[in-house]
Amino acid sequence: MNNRDLSNRWSRHTLLATVSAIIVGILGGLTGVVVYANFHTTPVSVQKLQGLQDSETLLNSKHSFYGDHQSGIVTPITPYVYVIGMDLKERARDRDHIESLLRLYSEDASMLMAGLPVLGTDPAPMIASSTASLTTTISFGEKFFEYAKITKPKFLTKVPAMKNIDNLDNVWSQTDFVIQISSADQLVLTHAARNFTHDLSTLADVKWIQSGFRGSSAPLNVGESHRTLMGWMEGIDTPDPKDYEKVIWTDSDVSWEKGGTYLGIRRIRFDMDTWEALDLNAQELVIGRTRDDSIPLSGKAASDKPDFTKVDQNGLTLIPDNAHIKVVNAESPEGNILRRTYNYFAGKIGSKDDAGLVFMAYTSNPTKSYIPMLSRIDKGDSLNKWNTHIGSAIYFTLPGAKKGKFIGEEMLQNEN
Amino acid sequence: MISKNKIKATVIVGLLTSLLFPTISTAAMMAPKANTTCTMTGAVVDTGKNTFICLPNANETITWSKALPTAKKAKTSKLEVSMSWVKADPELNMMKMTGSFGVISNPTSSPIRVIGGFTSIATMLGTHEMAMKDGAMVMREKIGGFVIPANSNFSLKPGGNHIMFMGLTKDVEAGKLYKVTLITSTGDRVTFKTLGRVFNGANESYDPGTGDSLKPAMPAGGMSNSMGSTNTGN
């Protein structure tokens, strides 16, 4: 076993980087070169994400279950995900059973993430010895708080109907809670999913399992974009890591909500056939960027910030007003979301591919970011012609567990 | 020498009595005296002066242990119990049994023998083993209990040595913690919590040759229907 803990690994990185920064800084001072200008202002959570670009690292890493935040939010993105929507059984819709569920979930998650089989009942214990960056994240819907007789977090509201883009299928609808499991190894991932669903089986039923994948060579840092099955880069308008505290983590008067976040999930089917029938330059006007290099139509490099006011010689904006990147653009950090998006491919419906995105957005306040963004898309995104939203659900993600505690233990203690 | 069937019958009667009249203390029914015949293997009786445990012997009789210290006077054992879990089954009825598993560690330089114990959710607790009998694996009482060698870990697992909860008074639920106390041959005690977990295995058959075999002697109907049922939830 060559499991390297990411945080330990990073502490070495930090040390090396700091030493290098000092050396280079001295040299820089001599030669007039400015280096590492913002190094010390970078939040720790972001530092951990840097320098983890190789998939070997991903395969040989493990994350801690314990911490201020749950794993699977700002931890590096792995190529595979299962998102498992579950409902409490009728017999388990009370505080007592909810405590059992949280204890069992946390027990299993802490073992699996540490590379250990689940307590006593693991049907395939040897699979657990590799984690391949396994993360598990549990989030809770409105009903969950109702059953637990706990005042729900205040921004946990229903996502309003989106009349143009929604064609919601009850198969993928809201559940009482959801477990997001991700790993760089599909076997590890499936093993974890089977353990969780089996071990919670007397308390909850699985409503749906969404399976997703990303390119294995896609950037691992959560804030970076990746190329989807459609061939386009996804998630470019992503929050600056220095804004994570504002964009992702909740700040609340309620102590057990602090360090949590909200999770919006959408299953978006994409009409691949008609999209692919469109000429590339027409596709680029729909998106607002070039396909291959992801350059905004107003700029010269992928890193250029899109200029939505820039016009051509005829006075037309280079990026059309209804282009996808303009519609989803967040005007303030608080309006943005952290995307953890995956492709899905679920076979064929007739002659058409059933393919698209498992779109997951983490946000500190969905009423200021996620929901307004969906409304803007609904009103006027030219991509809507090819996008159909077939699933929608929203949850609150509790903060991480303290060592030796289970997720939600503080919430249950404080809300008696 | 008491016949097997007689033991079986007295065990059943004793068990049924304790289930039907749970408020009558075991002590009131039987006055324990060391090495005299008792009726329910695994029963622990605290007389206020001493504790006795009803234990099986190699000659298939069951007798009271020697006088052990009471709860107040008993020392805390040096044994440590970790990774403890118990097979959950939310559809249990009162007669059902279940197994508890984990690791018992003995950090001392002498062997320690666990002879019995108790839990708040069952009327009796037994130290059991799986063994080959007539070509089949059967579960039976471990005569003399579990000997935990010096500086060693002792595994309790399905298909091997395990702690049996008999005469459950509550449903064992996945995700709940239940308090268990084990008692050693010197009367020392170790208390720990065991976590209810869903498990498809540990459905072994009981050896009819031992005193606590309830299955063959069970009356037909309601109570026997749940015997050996698996925990597939509701």
Side-chain angles (χ1 to χ4, degrees):
Chain A
M1 278 301 300
N2 183 25
N3 277 330
R4 284 168 289 177
D5 186 88
L6 290 183
S7 52
N8 289 343
R9 187 176 160 79
W10 177 252
S11 59
R12 289 200 298 275
H13 272 260
T14 309
L15 181 66
L16 280 175
T18 309
V19 171
S20 325
I22 293 165
I23 295 168
V24 178
I26 294 165
L27 294 174
L30 295 174
T31 58
V33 179
V34 179
V35 286
Y36 286 104
N38 286 323
F39 184 78
H40 292 289
T41 61
T42 312
V44 174
S45 60
V46 181
Q47 291 175 1
K48 283 183 185 168
L49 301 175
Q50 297 171 350
L52 295 168
Q53 299 289 325
D54 59 308
S55 53
E56 194 198 343
T57 301
L58 211 52
L59 283 169
N60 290 318
S61 295
K62 55 184 171 185
H63 298 286
S64 173
F65 170 72
Y66 301 103
D68 292 343
H69 311 297
Q70 290 193 53
S71 67
I73 303 166
V74 293
T75 44
I77 293 200
T78 55
Y80 308 108
V81 75
Y82 279 133
V83 192
I84 307 174
M86 298 183 80
D87 284 328
L88 288 165
K89 282 180 182 287
E90 218 171 307
R91 60 179 292 275
R93 292 174 187 167
D94 56 59
R95 174 73 72 96
D96 203 30
H97 287 94
I98 281 170
E99 181 180 322
S100 294
L101 181 128
L102 293 170
R103 182 182 291 119
L104 271 180
Y105 165 81
S106 301
E107 166 66 41
D108 280 6
S110 62
M111 297 292 270
L112 291 168
M113 285 179 63
L116 298 167
V118 300
L119 178 61
T121 60
D122 200 318
M126 293 313 291
I127 296 176
S129 63
S130 156
T131 61
S133 295
L134 180 72
T135 64
T136 76
T137 323
I138 189 165
S139 307
F140 308 93
E142 267 185 292
K143 282 271 178 63
F144 190 92
F145 294 98
E146 193 182 299
Y147 297 142
K149 296 196 163 54
I150 288 171
T151 309
K152 65 175 185 181
K154 65 178 167 187
F155 303 126
L156 187 57
T157 53
K158 285 185 180 61
V159 177
M162 301 287 155
K163 63 177 197 284
N164 297 314
I165 52 174
D166 278 359
N167 188 10
L168 301 179
D169 185 338
N170 189 43
V171 168
W172 307 111
S173 64
Q174 183 70 46
T175 59
D176 295 344
F177 66 101
V178 69
I179 302 174
Q180 172 201 291
I181 319 173
S182 57
S183 173
D185 184 327
Q186 185 80 50
L187 184 69
V188 170
L189 185 70
T190 308
H191 172 251
R194 290 190 64 234
N195 270 311
F196 280 124
T197 54
H198 173 266
D199 295 349
L200 302 179
S201 63
T202 58
L203 301 166
D205 295 313
V206 173
K207 183 172 184 184
W208 43 254
I209 298 183
Q210 304 201 40
S211 170
F213 59 91
R214 295 161 61 103
S216 291
S217 58
L220 312 178
N221 289 353
V222 68
E224 291 187 42
S225 59
H226 67 112
R227 201 172 288 279
T228 68
L229 204 55
M230 302 85 174
W232 292 75
M233 297 303 282
E234 206 283 325
I236 294 173
D237 181 24
T238 201
D240 188 321
K242 73 175 164 47
D243 293 327
Y244 278 2
E245 286 298 326
K246 266 186 284 183
V247 175
I248 304 170
W249 309 120
T250 53
D251 185 18
S252 168
D253 299 337
V254 183
S255 68
W256 59 261
E257 289 180 23
K258 276 182 195 163
T261 179
Y262 294 82
L263 166 64
I265 303 179
R266 292 238 137 194
R267 188 171 179 88
I268 306 170
R269 184 179 285 152
F270 205 78
D271 190 333
M272 306 289 274
D273 298 321
T274 56
W275 172 253
E276 285 158 5
L278 200 66
D279 291 339
L280 180 59
N281 59 353
Q283 288 184 358
E284 291 179 338
L285 285 168
V286 169
I287 301 291
R289 288 182 184 270
T290 64
R291 181 189 64 189
D292 296 350
D293 302 317
S294 213
I295 301 166
L297 300 183
S298 60
K300 293 207 158 33
S303 57
D304 288 349
K305 214 173 150 46
D307 181 348
F308 300 114
T309 60
K310 200 167 175 184
V311 291
D312 63 13
Q313 66 269 36
N314 300 319
L316 296 170
T317 51
L318 288 166
I319 299 170
D321 283 351
N322 57 359
H324 180 67
I325 66 162
K326 176 159 191 209
V327 173
V328 300
N329 179 58
E331 279 166 9
S332 68
E334 290 83 353
N336 212 344
I337 53 176
L338 180 80
R339 294 165 174 82
R340 278 185 90 99
T341 55
Y342 286 84
N343 301 289
Y344 82 82
F345 179 52
K348 293 270 186 182
I349 299 173
S351 64
K352 281 177 174 293
D353 287 334
D354 182 9
L357 284 183
V358 179
F359 183 89
M360 287 183 284
Y362 286 96
T363 167
S364 59
N365 181 352
T367 66
K368 281 192 174 166
S369 57
Y370 177 66
I371 294 171
M373 194 178 290
L374 284 175
S375 300
R376 292 201 303 275
I377 291 171
D378 192 53
K379 281 200 190 84
D381 184 344
S382 50
L383 193 57
N384 290 348
K385 195 172 171 187
W386 297 273
N387 272 353
T388 309
H389 293 227
I390 58 172
S392 176
I394 190 162
Y395 306 90
F396 180 73
T397 310
L398 286 169
K402 291 190 177 73
K403 193 98 187 165
K405 302 266 184 191
F406 58 83
I407 299 252
E409 192 162 348
E410 191 194 346
M411 172 180 78
L412 294 178
Q413 276 165 1
N414 291 359
E415 296 279 330
N416 267 318
Chain B
M1 180 80 186
I2 303 165
S3 79
K4 283 184 205 169
N5 284 342
K6 195 171 171 193
I7 294 173
K8 208 186 293 171
T10 47
V11 167
I12 297 304
V13 170
L15 179 54
L16 287 176
T17 311
S18 73
L19 292 171
L20 294 171
F21 307 103
T23 53
I24 298 175
S25 77
T26 320
M29 295 191 297
M30 297 166 283
K33 204 177 152 195
N35 301 319
T36 62
T37 303
C38 49
T39 53
M40 289 189 293
T41 38
V44 176
V45 172
D46 195 327
T47 63
K49 282 185 178 173
N50 293 110
T51 295
F52 295 90
I53 308 178
C54 181
L55 297 172
N57 300 311
N59 62 2
E60 294 185 333
T61 60
I62 53 174
T63 52
W64 290 111
S65 67
K66 68 174 186 182
L68 299 166
T70 59
K72 273 186 184 167
K73 291 183 182 165
K75 285 188 291 183
T76 303
S77 171
K78 296 273 195 311
L79 292 177
E80 289 157 16
V81 181
S82 59
M83 311 282 283
S84 183
W85 63 281
V86 56
K87 176 172 163 153
D89 185 344
E91 291 181 20
L92 290 169
N93 77 5
M94 299 271 279
M95 290 299 291
K96 192 104 188 261
M97 314 176 186
T98 194
S100 175
F101 313 93
V103 178
I104 307 176
S105 306
N106 177 3
T108 75
S109 53
S110 315
I112 298 177
R113 190 153 59 95
V114 172
I115 58 169
F118 53 88
T119 171
S120 56
I121 55 162
T123 52
M124 290 168 296
L125 182 154
T127 53
H128 283 205
E129 66 178 348
M130 296 302 297
M132 284 299 283
K133 188 176 177 183
D134 303 329
M137 279 298 269
V138 292
M139 181 172 79
R140 65 183 187 201
E141 286 164 335
K142 182 113 175 166
I143 308 293
F146 302 141
V147 178
I148 322 298
N151 297 307
S152 297
N153 292 331
F154 186 86
S155 277
L156 302 171
K157 54 190 176 192
N161 294 308
H162 59 276
I163 296 165
M164 205 69 190
F165 293 0
M166 296 170 288
L168 288 164
T169 53
K170 259 189 190 173
D171 290 350
V172 178
E173 295 221 37
K176 284 213 163 72
L177 291 166
Y178 300 100
K179 213 162 130 180
V180 183
T181 299
L182 295 181
I183 303 175
T184 71
S185 57
T186 56
D188 297 351
R189 299 177 181 215
V190 55
T191 298
F192 58 94
K193 283 178 179 167
T194 191
L195 177 67
R197 291 184 66 85
V198 176
F199 185 56
N200 299 332
N203 297 311
E204 294 89 355
S205 60
Y206 295 78
D207 175 10
T210 55
D212 69 335
S213 170
L214 299 174
K215 198 169 183 177
M218 283 300 300
M223 287 191 282
S224 64
N225 284 345
S226 73
M227 299 295 290
S229 70
T230 52
N231 51 349
T232 48
N234 48 0

